[in-house]
Amino acid sequence: MTDRAKELEEAAASIDAASLEVAREAVITGCQELVYWLELFSRRLDGVEPEKEHKFARALALTILGHLPTRPGTCPFCVQYGQSRSCQGCGYAATHGRCDSDQSSFSLFIEAFCELGRAIHQDTEGLNCHPDDARLSLEHCIRSSRRLAAEMMEDIDSLCTRELMERKARYLGQMIDTLPKELFGPEIMESWRRVHEMLRNYW
């Protein structure tokens, strides 16, 4: 085991079962809500006219981003140590920097994550591909996102704190990969690459 892996293992070991369970439940709730919305998007896709596909893609992408486990309630460290805002004793703060510090691992990630959402929201130029290709991309996004959310819910009950943090990082990366980014302008690809770069240090 490397020194870094040992540090992370020790940080995760400080989390009690109750805090881990609260975080697990919050992640599951987010997944359940996302699956609900994805089913609605799936049912409505057939009725979307080609000129409305770009608007549909933006709504779909922003809905996915909005239901990913990035909030404090989905983090066992924030659940256990964040109530007083002192973060005293938090192993994540010790290994990654306090989440409210500008240069901490989480701050850099969430800044890139929010920038991706902003870029998608402001992308109003229309489709960047043929409508037929857009339809296939949207179908793939909905299908893949639904599968990934279901897999996350299946996995989560058996995960310890370290495994949960690793699984969350992988889930975030996978879900961001499913976004129909090829339907948008080039700014989205740059924002997408930035999010992936920052995810490397998420855990």
Side-chain angles (χ1 to χ4, degrees), residues 9 43 59 61 63 99 148 161 164 172 183 187 189 198:
E9 188 72 43
R43 291 200 295 269
T63 298
C99 291
L148 290 168
T161 298
L164 174 62
L172 288 165
L183 277 61
E187 184 182 359
M189 289 302 297
M198 294 303 103

Side-chain angles (χ1 to χ4, degrees), residues 85-129:
R85 296 186 179 275
S86 70
C87 298
Q88 186 171 1
C90 176
Y92 192 90
T95 53
H96 297 80
R98 280 179 56 120
C99 291
D100 56 0
S101 171
D102 288 345
Q103 295 302 310
S104 70
S105 296
F106 181 78
S107 277
L108 292 173
F109 161 71
I110 205 66
E111 180 182 353
F113 182 82
C114 291
E115 175 59 23
L116 175 61
R118 183 206 62 78
I120 291 171
H121 178 70
Q122 295 184 358
D123 187 279
T124 57
E125 296 300 317
L127 284 178
N128 199 38
C129 64

